[in-house]
Structure formats: C-alpha cells, structure tokens
Amino acid sequence: MRTRSTAAAAVLTCLLTGSVLSGCAEGGDPRKELSAQELLDDANKSMGKLKSVTIEANTTKVGSSSGFSSRLTTDLDSTCTSKVTWDATGAVLEQIRIAETDYVRPNRAYIENWSGKPMAGAQNIWIKTPASRAQPGDGLSACPRDFSSFGTAKKGDAAEVGGTPAIALRVTDKSVKEGAYTFYVATEGEPYILKVVYKGTDYRTTTTYSGFDKPLDVKAPTKALDASKLGN
C-alpha cells in the first residue's frame, strides 16, 4: 500500500503554502489531487481507527432469488451483535459476542434446516457457548474487521450514498478473475467507506457501512442455556 500521500498531508501543504496551490483555494477539495489508490488507502485507515460501525450485507446468486443478508454492529475488537438471514429457508441466526462468550439464538427454521428434523413450537431460547467454538461456515461472526487495500483501484464517477457525497473507486484483483468491486468513499467529512458492491459471474454482494463511532449498547441475554451443561 502507498503511504507517501494522505488527505491530511494535502491539507497541510495547502496551509504551509498559503492556499495558493491548485485545489487549495477556498472551496477546493485537496482529495481531488489524490490517486484512486491513495483515496482507498486513506479510507481503509479511517475505517481501521473506528471504535464502532454497523455493517449490513446482502448477497444473491446470479439468476436466482436465493441468497442471504446480514447485519453486524461491532466495536471491531471483542464485542458485537450479528443477525444472519437465509432467504431460501427463512432461517435466522442471531448472535451476541462479549469477549470470550457467544450467545446464540437460532430460529425454528434454522434448527430444522440444520438437523433435518421438524421442530414443534416456537424457538426463542438463547444458548451460551465459548466463542472459541465458532467455526468458519457456521454463520457466526468475528468482531474484528480487516480494512486493507488490495488489487488495482481506478477512479469512477461522483456518487451519493445515503445523502453523503462520495466517489466511486473500481477495484480489480488478479485473484478475482470474473468479478470486480466498487468502493464508495465519502468525499465530505471523514473519508469513510460508505458502500462496497461486488459483481461477479456467480454472485453479487452489496455491503453498506453506517453508525460510525456510535456508542454500543451490547448486553448479555437475561436468560441463556449453557451449552456445556447440555452436553454440547
């Protein structure tokens, strides 16, 4: 990743030169002088400094209505809440992670799909289990998120995401031969990533980011079954 130029450095240059350089005049935007890669690097650095963020994603298979959606609110460290919904089955998996403990609540459709057996009655029970038991593919989320640049970025058109002015950055990578990403980075205020759209031949995903640095109110459920006492 490039580190030689940042939006902050551009602003400092404007101040030191008496605001006479191109783009430094009143009303100018020093970020316009940055390359697409530098804009993306600055955005990733800003995202990495957050104390909390909400991430919502929707993934669909191309040519099908099948897919899943998720919502994660996290402090990017050890506390987060997550909800994943699978469109085809109506299965829902809710999760609260506090430090080393997960509180998990699958709905009836999730349990039936996982076990292959019908279930009588509603399912509203939270299950307490060590976070260390979480495995890739089980639908549970980790609280940290990696914000780092990859591939080759190119500037796109000006855009607006949720009322916030942004610039589209198209990113391609050799490891993703049949798809491309578009990052929408805020051009006012902090250069946060507001949205990422992935379009590939097999599936498409739209991810939005909001709730930047909003206080988290994450509490353990008042009642939860201890998985270790159930022999699980």
Side-chain angles (χ1 to χ4, degrees):
M1 297 191 299
R2 300 184 186 182
T3 59
R4 65 179 180 82
S5 179
T6 65
V11 172
L12 181 59
T13 299
C14 293
L15 294 174
L16 293 176
T17 57
S19 298
V20 297
L21 295 181
S22 173
C24 296
E26 185 176 354
D29 183 0
R31 295 181 195 172
K32 291 181 179 179
E33 304 301 318
L34 301 183
S35 69
Q37 191 64 55
E38 289 166 340
L39 287 168
L40 187 57
D41 287 346
D42 278 354
N44 285 323
K45 290 175 184 177
S46 294
M47 296 295 286
K49 294 177 182 178
L50 287 170
K51 300 302 181 183
S52 66
V53 64
T54 293
I55 306 169
E56 297 181 81
N58 189 286
T59 298
T60 58
K61 293 182 179 179
V62 174
S64 170
S65 60
S66 177
F68 64 92
S69 60
S70 64
R71 177 184 174 91
L72 172 72
T73 298
T74 175
D75 67 355
L76 299 173
D77 184 18
S78 60
T79 302
C80 56
T81 63
S82 172
K83 183 177 181 180
V84 183
T85 303
W86 286 265
D87 300 334
T89 61
V92 177
L93 184 63
E94 296 176 85
Q95 172 196 0
I96 299 172
R97 176 167 292 185
I98 301 175
E100 301 300 321
T101 302
D102 273 332
Y103 299 90
V104 184
R105 182 165 67 176
N107 72 347
R108 176 178 174 177
Y110 183 96
I111 293 176
E112 290 181 338
N113 188 63
W114 173 76
S115 66
K117 299 178 181 179
M119 177 184 177
Q123 157 49 25
N124 294 307
I125 298 172
W126 287 94
I127 301 170
K128 179 181 178 181
T129 181
S132 59
R133 293 189 63 180
Q135 298 293 327
D138 62 8
L140 296 182
S141 297
C143 300
R145 281 294 181 271
D146 177 36
F147 296 103
S148 58
S149 296
F150 63 94
T152 302
K154 294 183 179 180
K155 286 185 180 180
D157 297 329
E160 190 174 281
V161 179
T164 301
I167 184 170
L169 304 175
R170 182 177 171 82
V171 178
T172 55
D173 190 82
K174 292 181 179 179
S175 64
V176 186
K177 297 180 180 179
E178 303 298 332
Y181 295 84
T182 301
F183 287 72
Y184 293 86
V185 177
T187 54
E188 288 186 3
E190 290 292 331
Y192 293 138
I193 297 172
L194 303 176
K195 182 170 69 172
V196 179
V197 176
Y198 171 77
K199 291 184 178 181
T201 55
D202 295 330
Y203 66 92
R204 296 182 177 182
T205 298
T206 297
T207 305
T208 58
Y209 300 85
S210 62
F212 304 110
D213 278 338
K214 286 190 175 181
L216 294 186
D217 183 19
V218 179
K219 299 178 181 178
T222 55
K223 293 182 179 180
L225 292 178
D226 192 327
S228 64
K229 295 180 180 180
L230 297 175
N232 294 328

